[in-house]
Amino acid sequence: PLNVSYVGVDAAAQLITAAKQYNKHSAYRFIQADVTQQLSIPQAPFSHATLILALQNIEHPLLVFKNASQQLQSGAPFVIVMN
């Protein structure tokens, strides 16, 4: 949606490059980062977050939850999609 800003994070540089090429809107940001490591995102804390088709590929998934809790507002939803 054009009236929503968001930050996309992925460890794969090629996916971040593709996202930046496809999504040119100034409210959309994309960052290459490892979500199991501490993240420094100026827009945080966020009102909600999603993790789509990634958790099953992460070696230390509990670190993802720890980082999400540090990036989200208190009580904000964290939606996880798995295949």
Side-chain angles (χ1 to χ4, degrees):
L2 294 178
N3 61 343
V4 174
S5 63
Y6 62 81
V7 176
V9 180
D10 201 293
Q14 65 272 25
L15 293 178
I16 294 298
T17 299
K20 287 179 179 179
Q21 290 173 347
Y22 181 76
N23 297 286
K24 303 277 187 190
H25 194 282
S26 62
Y28 306 161
R29 294 199 52 233
F30 303 96
I31 300 169
Q32 181 185 358
D34 179 346
V35 294
T36 66
Q37 303 295 314
Q38 185 174 5
L39 300 172
S40 177
I41 303 174
Q43 292 84 353
F46 294 99
S47 60
H48 52 280
T50 61
L51 183 68
I52 301 171
L53 304 176
L55 192 62
Q56 64 274 11
N57 300 316
I58 296 174
E59 187 174 346
H60 302 288
L62 292 179
L63 295 174
V64 175
F65 297 113
K66 178 182 175 185
N67 282 333
S69 71
Q70 294 171 346
Q71 299 294 322
L72 288 167
Q73 297 170 2
S74 178
F78 181 35
V79 178
I80 300 167
V81 177
M82 296 181 67
N83 59 359

